[in-house]
Amino acid sequence: MNTLIALLADSGQFIRPWLSEISTAMVACLLVIFGADINRLLRRHLSGTNFVLRTLAFILVNAFGYGFLIVSAAPWLARQLSQIPSQWLFCIVVVTFIFVGLWAQRNRQM
């Protein structure tokens, strides 16, 4: 049992320098999954408006909204992940990506 905990702790220490990139990937994966729903909701609310207004709203939400969300949420998530003990960090990262992948497959994103 101690060997398994040591292996998980070493794995957590190994990925710790890349927490910023890992958190950016997590946020980006969630945006890919939710992006279709957000765009569908936006399209539904703006369906009767002018083409220019719809295009401007699309650009604002997709370019600036998603970009701002990635830039602001990823560092926050990296800080949260950095507070997790090393023996749990690797497990949480792997399980999170598996969960997001299963969720994407279930919602036919893949």
Side-chain angles (χ1 to χ4, degrees):
M1 187 67 169
N2 287 336
T3 307
L4 179 62
I5 293 173
L7 180 65
L8 290 174
D10 290 343
S11 299
Q13 280 300 106
F14 180 74
I15 66 170
R16 206 166 275 285
W18 292 284
L19 284 180
S20 176
E21 289 82 4
I22 291 169
S23 63
T24 302
M26 285 180 180
V27 172
C29 286
L30 288 174
L31 281 177
V32 166
I33 292 173
F34 286 120
D37 295 330
I38 293 169
N39 287 339
R40 190 177 312 113
L41 179 71
L42 183 66
R43 193 175 332 135
R44 187 179 309 135
H45 285 305
L46 297 175
S47 64
T49 60
N50 186 351
F51 171 76
V52 175
L53 184 61
R54 285 192 322 256
T55 304
L56 182 62
F58 179 80
I59 291 169
L60 288 174
V61 168
N62 285 280
F64 298 109
Y66 293 162
F68 176 74
L69 189 59
I70 290 173
V71 168
S72 61
W76 176 83
L77 183 58
R79 282 192 303 275
Q80 301 306 312
L81 289 173
S82 69
Q83 295 175 2
I84 296 173
S86 293
Q87 63 266 24
W88 290 107
L89 181 62
F90 185 76
C91 294
I92 289 173
V93 168
V94 169
V95 167
T96 300
F97 279 116
I98 290 172
F99 175 74
V100 169
L102 290 173
W103 190 8
Q105 186 173 3
R106 188 171 193 201
N107 290 326
R108 298 182 184 188
Q109 298 288 331
M110 290 182 20

